[in-house]
Structures are given as structure tokens and as C-alpha cells.
Amino acid sequence: MPGVLDGIRVLDYGRFIAAPWCSAILADMGAEVLRVEKREGGEDRWVQAVTESGEGGTFLQCNRNKRSLTLDSTTVEGTEITRRLVARADIVLANMPAAGMRANGLDYETLRAVKPDIILASATAYGEGGPYSDRIGFDGAGQVMSGAVYRQGLPDMPIRTVVPYADFGTALTLAIGVMMALYHRDRTGVGQHVEGALLPTALMLSNAFLIERELLQVDKPRMGNQGASVAPCDLYKTADEQWVLLQVAGQPMFKRWCRLVDRPELFTDPRFADDDSRWQHGDVLNGIMADWCADKTKAEVLGLLEKAKMPAAPLYSPQEVLDDPHIRAMGYLQRVPFPGASREVPIIETPFRMSATPGTIRRRAPLLGEHTDEVLGEIGYGAAEIDRLRAGGIV
């Protein structure tokens, strides 16, 4: 089945997550994505190693459906290779500071001189044009500077989220921007520069906290796993030493919960008149729920909550995620072989589904420089020239 982006060529100079996951989504949808990295490999290739050759788990996720070319793009000959690649590309993706973009010939003006309708998609930590624009930063910078970490964790200890949501969120917003730019180019013939950054992505996700602070002039305390604005809401321990999440919001749901825990009088208690009131007295409601769970197994708790149509879920270990029957039935994790991996790699599928043009994982992440000769041949280099480039440390 043809992909919706068949025929679109993408050069991926991205590292770690923001740009590579964006280009992975484009690749899932049919785009031809070429990952360009240093001869020794990009730093992100070797983080959290899980294979014999050292590739990391995030790398395997974010670089499926791509080919790999190694290149020193700062050399004269490397610059020429970059020029030829850009001349036949539709999109260039990168996440590096502006100075690095210029040094590698990846700034928008340089790219546009080669291909007038090129689309450049760049991801940075803080965005271009402000006092922090030259700073480098990873996902955690977006988290801690967005106000979110200030609100999460234990009362005496802020805790950032181990999942890099600012990175992956930036990848998704960048992918949306790229698709808008492609749509605009198809209508006008004009390319453009699409910018994404970790900080505004994190601000988007924590915006409600900022609105609350500005309008009410309050900062709610850190409350562990309890809800930020509703109650009962927490992780509750069951009799078999397991944990279950429950989140109650709105009057109908709260009324069902009162019946479930056999405390109907709570529904008319003025302390619990609405979500805000219930949050203010969350210790009372969470205590009742904790006691209700304490003499029941996880299976019993989840069964009763499901019967009462309450939004609950079990706390899973990574192995329990891999074994979950719904995740298996839905095919959310695709098993993909990789050289040197002890078993097939569970790679998340395209994070959305389309009925006519679905995304697919057609090939594993590439080995370092696996397609260098193939790609150079496609842009006009013969075998002898490729040997010379390799001997000279260009590729």
C-alpha cells in the first residue's frame, strides 16, 4: 500500500529525539529519510546500549525506516555532497544551535540557495531570537523551566518526569509544522523554515498551571501522585502489594464513587461540593479510597472500578506492558529484528492510525553508515570516488 508521503525526500541531521522522531513519523508515512551522521556515529546512537554493536533503545525507536550515510559535512568535499543531497531533497531536519547549522551549511539561507523551495525543520532547546537562543539543553531543561516540575514530586523534593515528554512533544509539533509547510508549498511553490523548541513545547503542556498562577495568584503544593485539581485521585496500594490508579472528576463520577465505597453521604457533604472543593479536601477522600483498596487484591479493585465505570488503571512494570493482552492485540509494539539484538525489538508503531494510508515500519534502524555507498552512488559518485572519499575521512 503506498504511503501518503511517497516521493518525499528527507535529510535527517537530527540527534537524540526531537528531530529524529519527527522524521521517523514522516518515514512511517512513506517518506524516504536519510540519516546523516558523523563517521563515528551520532552521540544518540550509543545511549542506553541494547545491542552487541552498542545501539541504544531510543535510537532503535527513532530511526526505523531510515537509511544511514556517514559524512564530515564541514569539509570542502563534504559540503559538495551536502549540496547534492539538498538539491534533490524536500525537507531538511536538524536539531543543533544556529552556529552549528551555519558551520554545516544547514542554515535556511544556504539551503534555499541550493533548493529554493526547500523546507527546513529545526529543533532547539529554547527557540531562536531570545537571550537563551545560544544555550544548549536537553528535555529536562524544558521540564524544569516550564513550571511543571515545580508542581510535581514530593512536598520537599521536586521530581522531573523520567519520560522525555518535551523532546517527544517537540517532535510531534515539528511534524505538524512540516506537514503544514508541505501543504503550503504544494499550493504556492514556496518553502519555509519550521521551528520547534523544547521550552515552548513544555510551556504548552503546563500552560494551565501558568494561567492558574496568573489569574488566581496561587501555587498549589507538590502532592506526589495525587491529582493537581481533583480528588480522589492517587495511586492506591492493594492487598497483594500492587498499585492501582484512580482519577475522579465531575459530579456524576463522584456520585458513582460514593456509592462504590458505600459512603453516599459524601455526595451532599459541602466539603466535596465540586472538583475544587474535593481537591482541597483530597486527603480525606484519598484516605477513604486507600482504606477501601487495602483489603482487596488488584484484580478485585480493578473489577469493581470497571463495573462502576470509573477511570482506573493498574501500575505496570515494563514486563507487564510487554505482556499486556490489549497492547498485543492492538499491535502497538511491532517486533523488529536487529543485528546483534538478543531478540526481536519491540518498536512502537506510528502513534496514530489512518484508514487509507496507514504508517508502517518497513525496515529496522540502520547500522552506522550502512547505506553510504548506495546513497553516494545515487547522487553521482562512482566506486573509485567513494573509495577516495572514505580514505580521506570524508565518509
Side-chain angles (χ1 to χ4, degrees), residues 46-58:
W46 316 118
V47 176
Q48 188 193 348
V50 294
T51 71
E52 289 179 358
S53 49
E55 284 84 3
T58 302

Side-chain angles (χ1 to χ4, degrees), residues 94-391:
N95 53 326
M96 60 182 75
M101 300 280 280
R102 291 190 294 271
N104 287 276
L106 299 177
D107 58 284
Y108 184 51
E109 293 306 316
T110 299
L111 294 174
R112 191 166 58 172
V114 177
K115 184 91 181 309
D117 66 348
I118 198 73
I119 294 169
L120 169 63
S122 63
T124 61
Y126 302 103
E128 296 297 332
Y132 306 154
S133 295
D134 291 333
R135 296 182 185 178
I136 60 173
F138 286 149
D139 170 89
Q143 290 195 35
V144 300
M145 291 182 66
S146 69
V149 177
Y150 185 88
R151 287 285 305 275
Q152 67 194 30
L154 304 175
D156 60 348
M157 180 185 295
I159 300 176
R160 72 176 178 87
T161 303
V162 66
V163 173
Y165 66 78
D167 259 327
F168 278 103
T170 300
L172 296 176
T173 57
L174 201 59
I176 294 170
V178 167
M179 295 310 301
M180 297 294 183
L182 278 174
Y183 183 67
H184 174 260
R185 193 188 68 171
D186 284 349
R187 293 197 301 172
T188 67
V190 178
Q192 60 182 297
H193 183 187
V194 180
E195 295 183 73
L198 304 180
L199 181 55
T201 295
L203 291 172
M204 170 189 70
L205 297 169
S206 64
N207 196 187
F209 294 161
L210 308 179
I211 293 171
E212 184 179 63
R213 170 63 197 178
E214 180 69 14
L215 299 187
L216 302 183
Q217 292 292 290
V218 297
D219 284 315
K220 291 180 178 176
R222 290 186 290 272
M223 301 180 65
N225 291 309
Q226 295 183 29
S229 57
V230 297
C233 177
D234 206 343
L235 280 166
Y236 305 99
K237 195 173 185 179
T238 60
D240 50 352
E241 301 293 312
Q242 300 295 310
W243 295 88
V244 171
L245 171 72
L246 173 67
Q247 298 170 287
V248 175
Q251 297 302 91
M253 194 179 299
F254 179 61
K255 190 171 188 176
R256 295 200 303 273
W257 179 80
C258 293
R259 291 170 177 164
L260 175 68
V261 299
D262 197 25
R263 297 291 301 273
E265 76 280 4
L266 297 177
F267 189 70
T268 56
D269 190 316
R271 293 177 299 170
F272 313 128
D274 52 32
D275 283 327
D276 284 340
S277 300
R278 288 191 286 273
W279 178 82
Q280 292 171 8
H281 298 92
D283 287 346
V284 176
L285 298 176
N286 284 316
I288 292 171
M289 187 62 190
D291 291 341
W292 185 83
C293 292
D295 63 351
K296 302 175 182 64
T297 66
K298 179 176 75 171
E300 290 171 335
V301 168
L302 288 171
L304 291 168
L305 289 171
E306 182 177 355
K307 185 177 180 180
K309 298 188 183 304
M310 306 298 291
L315 173 67
Y316 273 174
S317 69
Q319 187 60 54
E320 287 172 316
V321 176
L322 294 169
D323 294 338
D324 181 81
H326 181 80
I327 292 173
R328 285 183 175 271
M330 294 298 292
Y332 290 145
L333 297 172
Q334 299 289 312
R335 264 63 181 180
V336 180
F338 189 89
S342 60
R343 58 188 67 191
E344 291 185 327
V345 182
I347 303 291
I348 184 67
E349 68 166 3
T350 310
F352 53 86
R353 292 185 170 183
M354 299 177 68
S355 61
T357 55
T360 58
I361 300 178
R362 300 176 301 283
R363 66 164 85 198
R364 58 167 172 78
L367 298 172
L368 180 60
E370 183 174 354
H371 306 96
T372 295
D373 289 15
E374 178 180 300
V375 172
L376 292 177
E378 291 171 1
I379 58 174
Y381 289 88
E385 290 178 290
I386 295 172
D387 289 342
R388 180 181 59 78
L389 290 168
R390 182 167 282 110

